[in-house]
Amino acid sequence: MKKALFTLALSSAIVLTSCSSDDDASGMDETITIDNPVSYSFERDGESTVSFSGQTTRIKMAHELLTNFLDESNTAESLKAMFAHDDGAADFEDADLNASDKNLRSKTAASVDYFYANTTDQTLIRADFESWIEGQVNEVFANWNVSAAAGIAGQLADGEKIRYVNAKGLEYNQLFAKGLIGALMTDQALNNYLSPTVLDESSNRTDNDAGTVLEGKSYTDMEHKWDEAYGYVYGLNADASDPNADLGADNFLNEYIGKLEEDADFAGIADDIFQAFKLGRAAIVAGDYGVRDAQAEIIREKISLVPAVRGVFYMQRAKATLADEVPNYASAFHALSEAYGFIYSLRFTRKPGTDAPYFSKAESDELLEELMDDGANGLWDLKAETIDEISEDIAERFGFTVAQAAD
């Protein structure tokens, strides 16, 4: 067996030396050098090989759809059409999005590792997103100018902002947005495009080793698949080759990686994710698939922290708000709705070294039931003790403390 040893050189090249076994007639050592660039920039014959336009398109679609969640003139049909866009349909204001053959629904809960053989859960998850659209129209739009109260959907004032909630205090737009972070961005990146099943599909390794590019393209299929995972994190950055300078470029994974980066307890996570993406891509160019897969494991661990930490953060923020002498229900319910979406997203995380999430679908559903089950009126009846119990369950599973997430 050959053992690979590698060190990081000052030139940002990684040198891997494969020591020959006693049975190797050549008796020579095989050295592999990974050219790890400073930025996420890769070229072949003077042309960039980085491409993730489909991911950029879907992030833009998600932004426009969420904007329309707060326009009561929309119908359930128009919002669902934006979710399941057909090529050429006039669903968006952006003409380029209308011309695209991409859509959100087909990539929601669609990873090869989690859903290729589990279409039952896939169907249920997609139905959840469509039910949130229907709830927004049939419950919230219908009571758009009504003051919300326990058991009554409508609006709540949060300073100069207005929050629109259902009868149990939930903001459907927040459930949809934060749920999409898990069901689309996280699932596609961690459980689809970083999966060896996708990266090594068919003749991908042989083609990548030979530098055989896709027809009419500058990149190999394996390079492109890795870039597509990258695009779900950095697809809207002004300079995607150096994305940490522009965190918050979208309202999905990009923004909330930035939120963890701002917390002293998790500082460094943004660069950890970026460096792993960059080194993994460089390893693909060099044909070192062991290093590639090691970087995928780092990305899975770090990105999986995002919904966990932010879910606990928003629950603890809401607990503090609800404890005020005169609670700001609009602010508290907004935070709890964000938490709900992040807890929903836990089923799409990936525990390194396994083929499973940190919380299964059944387990995350159980947490959500607990969140809503302190009384008939949902969040209006929520107790501080319940918030703490859920927070502790999540923090313990991921290996951080509630205090760390609550900062």
Side-chain angles (χ1 to χ4, degrees):
M1 298 292 291
K2 293 184 177 181
K3 299 179 180 179
L5 309 174
F6 62 92
T7 57
L8 181 63
L10 293 177
S11 63
S12 294
I14 295 178
V15 180
L16 293 94
T17 303
S18 296
C19 303
S20 60
S21 69
D22 292 339
D23 296 329
D24 188 344
S26 69
M28 300 294 289
D29 288 345
E30 178 186 354
T31 299
I32 303 173
T33 299
I34 299 177
D35 184 9
N36 186 22
V38 174
S39 62
Y40 197 90
S41 301
F42 300 90
E43 294 185 350
R44 177 175 286 108
D45 299 328
E47 185 177 356
S48 174
T49 62
V50 178
S51 175
F52 45 78
S53 59
Q55 287 61 47
T56 299
T57 293
R58 288 191 176 91
I59 294 172
K60 288 181 176 180
M61 286 178 170
H63 271 288
E64 190 166 331
L65 172 54
L66 265 300
T67 297
N68 279 273
F69 256 77
L70 296 179
D71 179 353
E72 75 276 23
S73 68
N74 281 293
T75 65
E77 290 71 23
S78 67
L79 294 176
K80 285 183 181 179
M82 296 178 77
F83 184 47
H85 171 68
D86 288 327
D87 184 2
D91 299 319
F92 300 95
E93 290 187 11
D94 186 331
D96 290 339
L97 299 184
N98 289 333
S100 175
D101 62 356
K102 313 299 182 186
N103 70 48
L104 300 171
R105 189 182 188 278
S106 66
K107 293 296 184 178
T108 296
S111 66
V112 65
D113 285 352
Y114 281 6
F115 298 102
Y116 178 77
N118 187 8
T119 57
T120 298
D121 281 354
Q122 179 186 78
T123 299
L124 291 171
I125 289 165
R126 291 177 180 178
D128 284 339
F129 283 87
E130 289 168 341
S131 75
W132 297 334
I133 289 174
E134 291 168 357
Q136 183 72 0
V137 173
N138 298 331
E139 302 165 35
V140 177
F141 286 178
N143 277 20
W144 197 248
N145 295 311
V146 174
S147 294
I152 301 173
Q155 60 174 253
L156 292 169
D158 185 7
E160 295 182 357
K161 294 182 179 179
I162 300 295
R163 308 294 185 187
Y164 296 92
V165 301
N166 71 2
K168 293 192 174 184
L170 286 170
E171 288 183 275
Y172 284 119
N173 62 319
Q174 293 303 320
L175 273 56
F176 199 100
K178 275 55 180 184
L180 207 62
I181 288 175
L184 177 64
M185 290 78 179
T186 299
D187 186 51
Q188 281 293 296
L190 307 192
N191 309 314
N192 196 66
Y193 290 118
L194 296 184
S195 169
T197 302
V198 172
L199 292 169
D200 296 335
E201 184 179 11
S202 186
S203 62
N204 276 8
R205 281 205 182 194
T206 301
D207 292 343
N208 192 69
D209 289 339
T212 303
V213 300
L214 294 172
E215 185 176 356
K217 306 297 182 181
S218 62
Y219 44 75
T220 69
D221 195 29
M222 187 186 296
E223 290 170 338
H224 184 49
K225 298 306 182 189
W226 188 272
D227 290 343
E228 289 184 290
Y230 187 84
Y232 275 116
V233 184
Y234 305 115
L236 285 192
N237 284 86
D239 181 4
S241 70
D242 184 21
N244 286 342
D246 188 28
L247 288 176
D250 66 44
N251 297 135
F252 301 103
L253 265 180
N254 196 280
E255 175 181 357
Y256 290 98
I257 290 171
K259 296 294 186 185
L260 263 67
E261 183 65 27
E262 293 169 0
D263 185 335
D265 292 304
F266 301 96
I269 189 171
D271 198 52
D272 288 343
I273 293 169
F274 173 66
Q275 294 298 335
F277 264 120
K278 181 164 61 69
L279 178 53
R281 181 59 156 79
I284 289 173
V285 174
D288 193 300
Y289 308 117
V291 172
R292 178 201 72 181
D293 292 343
Q295 303 315 301
E297 291 290 85
I298 293 170
I299 295 165
R300 285 171 171 156
E301 178 184 10
K302 300 298 182 179
I303 286 181
S304 291
L305 277 171
V306 174
V309 172
R310 295 308 289 183
V312 173
F313 171 85
Y314 284 117
M315 282 190 290
Q316 292 299 311
R317 170 179 280 188
K319 186 183 81 167
T321 302
L322 291 171
D324 291 340
E325 184 175 351
V326 180
N328 181 338
Y329 287 108
S331 178
F333 292 172
H334 178 67
L336 288 168
S337 297
E338 292 187 275
Y340 188 109
F342 280 125
I343 294 169
Y344 188 92
S345 286
L346 296 178
R347 69 196 69 193
F348 307 103
T349 58
R350 183 69 169 262
K351 194 171 185 179
T354 77
D355 60 357
Y358 283 83
F359 281 82
S360 68
K361 178 182 183 297
E363 289 174 322
S364 74
D365 282 340
E366 185 177 345
L367 292 178
L368 295 174
E369 289 172 7
E370 187 178 354
L371 182 69
M372 302 301 294
D373 202 32
D374 275 347
N377 294 313
L379 299 182
W380 294 94
D381 298 327
L382 183 62
K383 297 179 177 63
E385 293 80 2
T386 301
I387 290 175
D388 284 338
E389 288 172 6
I390 298 170
S391 297
E392 291 288 352
D393 286 345
I394 296 171
E396 181 180 2
R397 185 75 61 92
F398 281 84
F400 59 84
T401 68
V402 172
Q404 286 175 316
D407 289 347

